[in-house]
Amino acid sequence: MTSTEATRGEQQEEERRGLGLDAQGHRRPYRAIRRDQHELVREELLERFGENQTIDPEEDTIRWRRAVRLNPVLGPVYRIGVFVAGLALIVVGIPMVPLVGPGWVVIFVGLFLWSTEYMWARRVTQFVKAEVKSFEQWARHLPLAAKIPLVMVSVAIGWLCFYLALLVTGLPGWTPDVVEEYLRMLPGLAA
């Protein structure tokens, strides 16, 4: 094998790394996909933030934020503001998870906001990113017979959360009469 073919083979293997299929096109085990995704995230963090794993204000690509972070007075105030805003989003998002509302989205926005200033939050968001990507790559290559139960369980959990939210909050006043009529048939939601 020539060096060009070896380089091409390494490039193809690098492209497949973290994906749900091996070099022969067979589905890879979930643990292998997860390991690769977490390794990719570690490499990404190392490349972006170096060995010391700190968010360096001088290297911030957003000009106004770099100016604020480098200011000795505004920098700490800005960090505290980011912490308070992220905490507020997370505190507001937690009760939205079991109730009606985009709870997880609000929580992840708060965590993302924290990750702009705090390295520990950046690591958490990267961990979540690797987990979601691992599951997505694994589930994408499942046979249809295995995907159907996953979809059914997801729908059942979604309906259960919706039902529990209706039990806690009651039916909204804006519910159309036809829909309300059917929802009132559910146990605990009768008039």
Side-chain angles (χ1 to χ4, degrees):
M1 178 162 36
T2 65
S3 63
T4 317
E5 291 172 344
T7 305
R8 192 175 310 130
E10 290 171 8
Q11 287 174 340
Q12 288 174 342
E13 183 60 33
E14 185 67 26
E15 289 171 2
R16 286 192 172 273
R17 197 171 131 210
L19 298 179
L21 299 175
D22 62 12
Q24 290 80 30
H26 299 109
R27 189 166 42 94
R28 296 177 60 216
Y30 180 74
R31 285 186 173 191
I33 297 168
R34 185 175 182 266
R35 182 190 61 239
D36 286 349
Q37 286 298 329
H38 282 278
E39 182 60 33
L40 288 170
V41 163
R42 275 191 290 280
E43 289 173 9
E44 189 178 298
L45 284 173
L46 187 63
E47 182 181 313
R48 173 99 161 81
F49 300 105
E51 288 291 332
N52 61 1
Q53 293 288 301
T54 58
I55 299 173
D56 193 11
E58 291 88 16
E59 295 178 8
D60 196 341
T61 56
I62 301 171
R63 191 171 36 191
W64 69 267
R65 192 171 68 187
R66 181 176 55 242
V68 169
R69 290 173 75 198
L70 289 173
N71 187 309
V73 175
L74 292 178
V77 172
Y78 175 73
R79 283 179 61 92
I80 291 170
V82 166
F83 181 80
V84 169
L87 182 63
L89 286 169
I90 290 171
V91 166
V92 166
I94 288 173
M96 291 172 115
V97 171
L99 301 174
V100 177
W104 287 113
V105 173
V106 174
I107 290 171
F108 285 126
V109 168
L111 192 59
F112 174 75
L113 186 61
W114 275 349
S115 73
T116 63
E117 286 299 312
Y118 300 100
M119 199 60 205
W120 61 267
R122 177 66 61 111
R123 285 190 205 102
V124 170
T125 57
Q126 293 295 80
F127 176 82
V128 170
K129 174 184 173 184
E131 289 294 318
V132 169
K133 188 75 171 166
S134 300
F135 184 77
E136 183 265 332
Q137 290 294 331
W138 176 75
R140 175 183 292 177
H141 300 289
L142 284 174
L144 185 60
K147 287 181 184 179
I148 291 172
L150 275 176
V151 169
M152 291 173 63
V153 167
S154 298
V155 169
I157 290 171
W159 276 109
L160 177 65
C161 291
F162 177 69
Y163 174 67
L164 292 174
L166 288 178
L167 284 177
V168 172
T169 62
L171 288 173
W174 50 263
T175 307
D177 292 337
V178 175
V179 175
E180 185 174 338
E181 189 177 310
Y182 284 110
L183 289 175
R184 293 266 180 223
M185 293 180 194
L186 294 172
L189 295 177

